[in-house]
PDB file of all heavy atoms in Angstrom:
ATOM      1  N   LEU A   1    -146.347 217.355 -12.206  1.00 92.00           N
ATOM      2  CA  LEU A   1    -145.558 217.860 -11.077  1.00 92.00           C
ATOM      3  C   LEU A   1    -145.785 217.017  -9.826  1.00 92.00           C
ATOM      4  O   LEU A   1    -144.841 216.681  -9.103  1.00 92.00           O
ATOM      5  CB  LEU A   1    -145.910 219.327 -10.793  1.00 92.00           C
ATOM      6  CG  LEU A   1    -145.525 220.331 -11.876  1.00 92.00           C
ATOM      7  CD1 LEU A   1    -146.142 221.694 -11.581  1.00 92.00           C
ATOM      8  CD2 LEU A   1    -144.017 220.431 -12.009  1.00 92.00           C
ATOM      9  N   ALA A   2    -147.042 216.652  -9.595  1.00 92.00           N
ATOM     10  CA  ALA A   2    -147.371 215.845  -8.414  1.00 92.00           C
ATOM     11  C   ALA A   2    -146.734 214.467  -8.514  1.00 92.00           C
ATOM     12  O   ALA A   2    -146.212 213.947  -7.517  1.00 92.00           O
ATOM     13  CB  ALA A   2    -148.890 215.724  -8.269  1.00 92.00           C
ATOM     14  N   ARG A   3    -146.744 213.860  -9.707  1.00 89.00           N
ATOM     15  CA  ARG A   3    -146.115 212.551  -9.884  1.00 89.00           C
ATOM     16  C   ARG A   3    -144.614 212.631  -9.626  1.00 89.00           C
ATOM     17  O   ARG A   3    -144.030 211.759  -8.974  1.00 89.00           O
ATOM     18  CB  ARG A   3    -146.376 212.016 -11.292  1.00 89.00           C
ATOM     19  CG  ARG A   3    -147.686 211.280 -11.431  1.00 89.00           C
ATOM     20  CD  ARG A   3    -147.788 210.560 -12.772  1.00 89.00           C
ATOM     21  NE  ARG A   3    -147.624 211.446 -13.927  1.00 89.00           N
ATOM     22  CZ  ARG A   3    -148.577 212.258 -14.382  1.00 89.00           C
ATOM     23  NH1 ARG A   3    -149.738 212.318 -13.797  1.00 89.00           N
ATOM     24  NH2 ARG A   3    -148.362 213.020 -15.434  1.00 89.00           N
ATOM     25  N   ALA A   4    -143.995 213.684 -10.133  1.00 92.00           N
ATOM     26  CA  ALA A   4    -142.552 213.843  -9.945  1.00 92.00           C
ATOM     27  C   ALA A   4    -142.221 214.047  -8.469  1.00 92.00           C
ATOM     28  O   ALA A   4    -141.289 213.437  -7.943  1.00 92.00           O
ATOM     29  CB  ALA A   4    -142.040 215.010 -10.776  1.00 92.00           C
ATOM     30  N   ARG A   5    -142.977 214.897  -7.794  1.00 94.00           N
ATOM     31  CA  ARG A   5    -142.722 215.130  -6.367  1.00 94.00           C
ATOM     32  C   ARG A   5    -142.950 213.852  -5.576  1.00 94.00           C
ATOM     33  O   ARG A   5    -142.177 213.518  -4.682  1.00 94.00           O
ATOM     34  CB  ARG A   5    -143.616 216.243  -5.828  1.00 94.00           C
ATOM     35  CG  ARG A   5    -143.293 216.562  -4.356  1.00 94.00           C
ATOM     36  CD  ARG A   5    -144.228 217.561  -3.775  1.00 94.00           C
ATOM     37  NE  ARG A   5    -145.568 216.997  -3.782  1.00 94.00           N
ATOM     38  CZ  ARG A   5    -146.678 217.709  -3.707  1.00 94.00           C
ATOM     39  NH1 ARG A   5    -146.627 219.012  -3.621  1.00 94.00           N
ATOM     40  NH2 ARG A   5    -147.854 217.119  -3.722  1.00 94.00           N
ATOM     41  N   SER A   6    -143.979 213.115  -5.911  1.00 91.00           N
ATOM     42  CA  SER A   6    -144.265 211.857  -5.223  1.00 91.00           C
ATOM     43  C   SER A   6    -143.132 210.854  -5.419  1.00 91.00           C
ATOM     44  O   SER A   6    -142.704 210.188  -4.477  1.00 91.00           O
ATOM     45  CB  SER A   6    -145.582 211.278  -5.729  1.00 91.00           C
ATOM     46  OG  SER A   6    -145.836 210.032  -5.141  1.00 91.00           O
ATOM     47  N   ALA A   7    -142.638 210.732  -6.644  1.00 90.00           N
ATOM     48  CA  ALA A   7    -141.550 209.797  -6.921  1.00 90.00           C
ATOM     49  C   ALA A   7    -140.285 210.176  -6.153  1.00 90.00           C
ATOM     50  O   ALA A   7    -139.595 209.316  -5.606  1.00 90.00           O
ATOM     51  CB  ALA A   7    -141.263 209.760  -8.425  1.00 90.00           C
ATOM     52  N   LEU A   8    -140.000 211.469  -6.083  1.00 93.00           N
ATOM     53  CA  LEU A   8    -138.792 211.925  -5.397  1.00 93.00           C
ATOM     54  C   LEU A   8    -138.930 211.858  -3.882  1.00 93.00           C
ATOM     55  O   LEU A   8    -137.930 211.793  -3.172  1.00 93.00           O
ATOM     56  CB  LEU A   8    -138.467 213.361  -5.820  1.00 93.00           C
ATOM     57  CG  LEU A   8    -138.001 213.507  -7.265  1.00 93.00           C
ATOM     58  CD1 LEU A   8    -138.046 214.966  -7.693  1.00 93.00           C
ATOM     59  CD2 LEU A   8    -136.612 212.922  -7.445  1.00 93.00           C
ATOM     60  N   GLY A   9    -140.149 211.860  -3.379  1.00 90.00           N
ATOM     61  CA  GLY A   9    -140.358 211.841  -1.939  1.00 90.00           C
ATOM     62  C   GLY A   9    -140.713 210.474  -1.382  1.00 90.00           C
ATOM     63  O   GLY A   9    -141.054 210.349  -0.209  1.00 90.00           O
ATOM     64  N   LYS A  10    -140.628 209.443  -2.210  1.00 88.00           N
ATOM     65  CA  LYS A  10    -140.992 208.092  -1.751  1.00 88.00           C
ATOM     66  C   LYS A  10    -140.043 207.606  -0.672  1.00 88.00           C
ATOM     67  O   LYS A  10    -138.859 207.908  -0.671  1.00 88.00           O
ATOM     68  CB  LYS A  10    -140.989 207.108  -2.915  1.00 88.00           C
ATOM     69  CG  LYS A  10    -142.209 207.231  -3.768  1.00 88.00           C
ATOM     70  CD  LYS A  10    -142.373 206.003  -4.619  1.00 88.00           C
ATOM     71  CE  LYS A  10    -143.516 206.242  -5.563  1.00 88.00           C
ATOM     72  NZ  LYS A  10    -144.652 205.501  -5.368  1.00 88.00           N
ATOM     73  N   GLY A  11    -140.599 206.794   0.215  1.00 86.00           N
ATOM     74  CA  GLY A  11    -139.835 206.270   1.335  1.00 86.00           C
ATOM     75  C   GLY A  11    -138.591 205.508   0.936  1.00 86.00           C
ATOM     76  O   GLY A  11    -137.543 205.636   1.571  1.00 86.00           O
ATOM     77  N   GLU A  12    -138.687 204.705  -0.116  1.00 87.00           N
ATOM     78  CA  GLU A  12    -137.537 203.910  -0.535  1.00 87.00           C
ATOM     79  C   GLU A  12    -136.365 204.799  -0.941  1.00 87.00           C
ATOM     80  O   GLU A  12    -135.217 204.534  -0.585  1.00 87.00           O
ATOM     81  CB  GLU A  12    -137.942 203.002  -1.697  1.00 87.00           C
ATOM     82  CG  GLU A  12    -136.870 202.010  -2.076  1.00 87.00           C
ATOM     83  CD  GLU A  12    -137.358 201.026  -3.128  1.00 87.00           C
ATOM     84  OE1 GLU A  12    -138.554 200.692  -3.139  1.00 87.00           O
ATOM     85  OE2 GLU A  12    -136.529 200.608  -3.939  1.00 87.00           O
ATOM     86  N   LEU A  13    -136.658 205.880  -1.670  1.00 90.00           N
ATOM     87  CA  LEU A  13    -135.592 206.793  -2.075  1.00 90.00           C
ATOM     88  C   LEU A  13    -135.023 207.524  -0.860  1.00 90.00           C
ATOM     89  O   LEU A  13    -133.805 207.667  -0.728  1.00 90.00           O
ATOM     90  CB  LEU A  13    -136.099 207.800  -3.110  1.00 90.00           C
ATOM     91  CG  LEU A  13    -135.076 208.857  -3.537  1.00 90.00           C
ATOM     92  CD1 LEU A  13    -133.840 208.206  -4.159  1.00 90.00           C
ATOM     93  CD2 LEU A  13    -135.706 209.845  -4.503  1.00 90.00           C
ATOM     94  N   LEU A  14    -135.898 207.982   0.040  1.00 90.00           N
ATOM     95  CA  LEU A  14    -135.411 208.663   1.243  1.00 90.00           C
ATOM     96  C   LEU A  14    -134.555 207.730   2.091  1.00 90.00           C
ATOM     97  O   LEU A  14    -133.546 208.152   2.672  1.00 90.00           O
ATOM     98  CB  LEU A  14    -136.577 209.216   2.051  1.00 90.00           C
ATOM     99  CG  LEU A  14    -137.375 210.334   1.386  1.00 90.00           C
ATOM    100  CD1 LEU A  14    -138.550 210.734   2.258  1.00 90.00           C
ATOM    101  CD2 LEU A  14    -136.498 211.526   1.085  1.00 90.00           C
ATOM    102  N   ALA A  15    -134.927 206.467   2.170  1.00 89.00           N
ATOM    103  CA  ALA A  15    -134.128 205.492   2.916  1.00 89.00           C
ATOM    104  C   ALA A  15    -132.766 205.312   2.256  1.00 89.00           C
ATOM    105  O   ALA A  15    -131.736 205.262   2.939  1.00 89.00           O
ATOM    106  CB  ALA A  15    -134.874 204.156   3.007  1.00 89.00           C
ATOM    107  N   THR A  16    -132.730 205.253   0.939  1.00 90.00           N
ATOM    108  CA  THR A  16    -131.463 205.128   0.214  1.00 90.00           C
ATOM    109  C   THR A  16    -130.572 206.336   0.471  1.00 90.00           C
ATOM    110  O   THR A  16    -129.369 206.186   0.736  1.00 90.00           O
ATOM    111  CB  THR A  16    -131.727 204.972  -1.300  1.00 90.00           C
ATOM    112  OG1 THR A  16    -132.477 203.785  -1.513  1.00 90.00           O
ATOM    113  CG2 THR A  16    -130.441 204.907  -2.092  1.00 90.00           C
ATOM    114  N   LEU A  17    -131.157 207.521   0.417  1.00 92.00           N
ATOM    115  CA  LEU A  17    -130.381 208.735   0.689  1.00 92.00           C
ATOM    116  C   LEU A  17    -129.869 208.740   2.126  1.00 92.00           C
ATOM    117  O   LEU A  17    -128.728 209.158   2.380  1.00 92.00           O
ATOM    118  CB  LEU A  17    -131.226 209.989   0.421  1.00 92.00           C
ATOM    119  CG  LEU A  17    -131.652 210.211  -1.035  1.00 92.00           C
ATOM    120  CD1 LEU A  17    -132.568 211.418  -1.137  1.00 92.00           C
ATOM    121  CD2 LEU A  17    -130.448 210.359  -1.942  1.00 92.00           C
ATOM    122  N   SER A  18    -130.686 208.280   3.056  1.00 92.00           N
ATOM    123  CA  SER A  18    -130.266 208.212   4.455  1.00 92.00           C
ATOM    124  C   SER A  18    -129.071 207.277   4.623  1.00 92.00           C
ATOM    125  O   SER A  18    -128.131 207.589   5.371  1.00 92.00           O
ATOM    126  CB  SER A  18    -131.417 207.737   5.343  1.00 92.00           C
ATOM    127  OG  SER A  18    -132.410 208.728   5.421  1.00 92.00           O
ATOM    128  N   ARG A  19    -129.110 206.153   3.925  1.00 92.00           N
ATOM    129  CA  ARG A  19    -127.979 205.219   4.004  1.00 92.00           C
ATOM    130  C   ARG A  19    -126.719 205.854   3.432  1.00 92.00           C
ATOM    131  O   ARG A  19    -125.631 205.717   3.989  1.00 92.00           O
ATOM    132  CB  ARG A  19    -128.310 203.906   3.290  1.00 92.00           C
ATOM    133  CG  ARG A  19    -129.285 203.029   4.060  1.00 92.00           C
ATOM    134  CD  ARG A  19    -129.404 201.633   3.463  1.00 92.00           C
ATOM    135  NE  ARG A  19    -129.859 201.630   2.084  1.00 92.00           N
ATOM    136  CZ  ARG A  19    -131.139 201.657   1.702  1.00 92.00           C
ATOM    137  NH1 ARG A  19    -132.109 201.709   2.611  1.00 92.00           N
ATOM    138  NH2 ARG A  19    -131.469 201.632   0.422  1.00 92.00           N
ATOM    139  N   LYS A  20    -126.855 206.553   2.307  1.00 91.00           N
ATOM    140  CA  LYS A  20    -125.697 207.218   1.698  1.00 91.00           C
ATOM    141  C   LYS A  20    -125.108 208.269   2.645  1.00 91.00           C
ATOM    142  O   LYS A  20    -123.903 208.512   2.628  1.00 91.00           O
ATOM    143  CB  LYS A  20    -126.090 207.871   0.373  1.00 91.00           C
ATOM    144  CG  LYS A  20    -126.279 206.897  -0.756  1.00 91.00           C
ATOM    145  CD  LYS A  20    -126.622 207.608  -2.040  1.00 91.00           C
ATOM    146  CE  LYS A  20    -126.825 206.629  -3.169  1.00 91.00           C
ATOM    147  NZ  LYS A  20    -127.200 207.310  -4.424  1.00 91.00           N
ATOM    148  N   LEU A  21    -125.959 208.904   3.441  1.00 91.00           N
ATOM    149  CA  LEU A  21    -125.508 209.922   4.389  1.00 91.00           C
ATOM    150  C   LEU A  21    -125.018 209.313   5.708  1.00 91.00           C
ATOM    151  O   LEU A  21    -124.569 210.036   6.589  1.00 91.00           O
ATOM    152  CB  LEU A  21    -126.649 210.911   4.672  1.00 91.00           C
ATOM    153  CG  LEU A  21    -127.101 211.757   3.496  1.00 91.00           C
ATOM    154  CD1 LEU A  21    -128.406 212.480   3.821  1.00 91.00           C
ATOM    155  CD2 LEU A  21    -126.025 212.761   3.097  1.00 91.00           C
ATOM    156  N   GLY A  22    -125.154 208.000   5.849  1.00 92.00           N
ATOM    157  CA  GLY A  22    -124.694 207.333   7.061  1.00 92.00           C
ATOM    158  C   GLY A  22    -125.612 207.510   8.259  1.00 92.00           C
ATOM    159  O   GLY A  22    -125.200 207.308   9.407  1.00 92.00           O
ATOM    160  N   LEU A  23    -126.871 207.857   8.026  1.00 91.00           N
ATOM    161  CA  LEU A  23    -127.793 208.124   9.132  1.00 91.00           C
ATOM    162  C   LEU A  23    -128.141 206.904   9.978  1.00 91.00           C
ATOM    163  O   LEU A  23    -128.298 207.048  11.190  1.00 91.00           O
ATOM    164  CB  LEU A  23    -129.071 208.788   8.610  1.00 91.00           C
ATOM    165  CG  LEU A  23    -128.903 210.179   8.003  1.00 91.00           C
ATOM    166  CD1 LEU A  23    -130.256 210.740   7.592  1.00 91.00           C
ATOM    167  CD2 LEU A  23    -128.198 211.123   8.939  1.00 91.00           C
ATOM    168  N   PRO A  24    -128.275 205.694   9.403  1.00 90.00           N
ATOM    169  CA  PRO A  24    -128.640 204.558  10.255  1.00 90.00           C
ATOM    170  C   PRO A  24    -127.667 204.349  11.426  1.00 90.00           C
ATOM    171  O   PRO A  24    -128.082 203.985  12.524  1.00 90.00           O
ATOM    172  CB  PRO A  24    -128.626 203.369   9.296  1.00 90.00           C
ATOM    173  CG  PRO A  24    -128.990 203.971   7.982  1.00 90.00           C
ATOM    174  CD  PRO A  24    -128.288 205.312   7.978  1.00 90.00           C
ATOM    175  N   ALA A  25    -126.398 204.617  11.213  1.00 90.00           N
ATOM    176  CA  ALA A  25    -125.420 204.446  12.295  1.00 90.00           C
ATOM    177  C   ALA A  25    -125.627 205.459  13.419  1.00 90.00           C
ATOM    178  O   ALA A  25    -125.174 205.238  14.542  1.00 90.00           O
ATOM    179  CB  ALA A  25    -124.000 204.575  11.732  1.00 90.00           C
ATOM    180  N   CYS A  26    -126.317 206.550  13.136  1.00 89.00           N
ATOM    181  CA  CYS A  26    -126.521 207.611  14.123  1.00 89.00           C
ATOM    182  C   CYS A  26    -127.810 207.453  14.921  1.00 89.00           C
ATOM    183  O   CYS A  26    -128.046 208.221  15.857  1.00 89.00           O
ATOM    184  CB  CYS A  26    -126.550 208.972  13.424  1.00 89.00           C
ATOM    185  SG  CYS A  26    -125.056 209.340  12.488  1.00 89.00           S
ATOM    186  N   LEU A  27    -128.643 206.496  14.560  1.00 90.00           N
ATOM    187  CA  LEU A  27    -129.940 206.350  15.211  1.00 90.00           C
ATOM    188  C   LEU A  27    -129.795 205.857  16.652  1.00 90.00           C
ATOM    189  O   LEU A  27    -128.982 204.976  16.930  1.00 90.00           O
ATOM    190  CB  LEU A  27    -130.823 205.371  14.433  1.00 90.00           C
ATOM    191  CG  LEU A  27    -131.259 205.800  13.041  1.00 90.00           C
ATOM    192  CD1 LEU A  27    -132.028 204.675  12.367  1.00 90.00           C
ATOM    193  CD2 LEU A  27    -132.080 207.063  13.091  1.00 90.00           C
ATOM    194  N   ARG A  28    -130.602 206.408  17.533  1.00 88.00           N
ATOM    195  CA  ARG A  28    -130.739 205.898  18.892  1.00 88.00           C
ATOM    196  C   ARG A  28    -132.027 205.098  18.915  1.00 88.00           C
ATOM    197  O   ARG A  28    -133.100 205.645  18.699  1.00 88.00           O
ATOM    198  CB  ARG A  28    -130.803 207.051  19.884  1.00 88.00           C
ATOM    199  CG  ARG A  28    -129.501 207.823  19.948  1.00 88.00           C
ATOM    200  CD  ARG A  28    -129.680 209.108  20.707  1.00 88.00           C
ATOM    201  NE  ARG A  28    -129.376 208.894  22.114  1.00 88.00           N
ATOM    202  CZ  ARG A  28    -129.711 209.742  23.065  1.00 88.00           C
ATOM    203  NH1 ARG A  28    -130.383 210.832  22.775  1.00 88.00           N
ATOM    204  NH2 ARG A  28    -129.384 209.501  24.309  1.00 88.00           N
ATOM    205  N   LEU A  29    -131.887 203.812  19.160  1.00 89.00           N
ATOM    206  CA  LEU A  29    -133.038 202.923  19.100  1.00 89.00           C
ATOM    207  C   LEU A  29    -133.302 202.292  20.464  1.00 89.00           C
ATOM    208  O   LEU A  29    -132.378 202.100  21.258  1.00 89.00           O
ATOM    209  CB  LEU A  29    -132.790 201.807  18.084  1.00 89.00           C
ATOM    210  CG  LEU A  29    -132.549 202.229  16.638  1.00 89.00           C
ATOM    211  CD1 LEU A  29    -132.140 201.026  15.804  1.00 89.00           C
ATOM    212  CD2 LEU A  29    -133.781 202.877  16.060  1.00 89.00           C
ATOM    213  N   ALA A  30    -134.555 201.943  20.685  1.00 89.00           N
ATOM    214  CA  ALA A  30    -134.904 201.165  21.870  1.00 89.00           C
ATOM    215  C   ALA A  30    -134.208 199.808  21.757  1.00 89.00           C
ATOM    216  O   ALA A  30    -133.934 199.324  20.650  1.00 89.00           O
ATOM    217  CB  ALA A  30    -136.418 200.986  21.946  1.00 89.00           C
ATOM    218  N   LYS A  31    -133.940 199.189  22.888  1.00 92.00           N
ATOM    219  CA  LYS A  31    -133.221 197.907  22.887  1.00 92.00           C
ATOM    220  C   LYS A  31    -133.908 196.865  22.017  1.00 92.00           C
ATOM    221  O   LYS A  31    -133.255 196.128  21.279  1.00 92.00           O
ATOM    222  CB  LYS A  31    -133.066 197.387  24.320  1.00 92.00           C
ATOM    223  CG  LYS A  31    -132.064 198.167  25.126  1.00 92.00           C
ATOM    224  CD  LYS A  31    -131.930 197.597  26.527  1.00 92.00           C
ATOM    225  CE  LYS A  31    -130.986 198.465  27.339  1.00 92.00           C
ATOM    226  NZ  LYS A  31    -130.788 197.929  28.692  1.00 92.00           N
ATOM    227  N   GLY A  32    -135.224 196.808  22.108  1.00 90.00           N
ATOM    228  CA  GLY A  32    -135.965 195.829  21.311  1.00 90.00           C
ATOM    229  C   GLY A  32    -135.825 196.083  19.821  1.00 90.00           C
ATOM    230  O   GLY A  32    -135.654 195.142  19.040  1.00 90.00           O
TER     231      GLY A  32
END
């Protein structure tokens, strides 16, 4: 169970899901 939760919660997968949801376009970032 821990391995499965870890695999599903990895940063790379969350980043992929964020891109699919269009979140990067919504970010407010510092100029730098």
Side-chain angles (χ1 to χ4, degrees):
L1 294 170
R3 275 190 303 282
R5 184 185 63 200
S6 176
L8 291 166
K10 283 197 186 248
E12 188 174 328
L13 176 60
L14 294 177
T16 298
L17 295 175
S18 290
R19 286 190 301 274
K20 285 182 181 178
L21 295 168
L23 295 183
C26 302
L27 294 175
R28 294 168 92 195
L29 299 172
K31 288 181 184 182

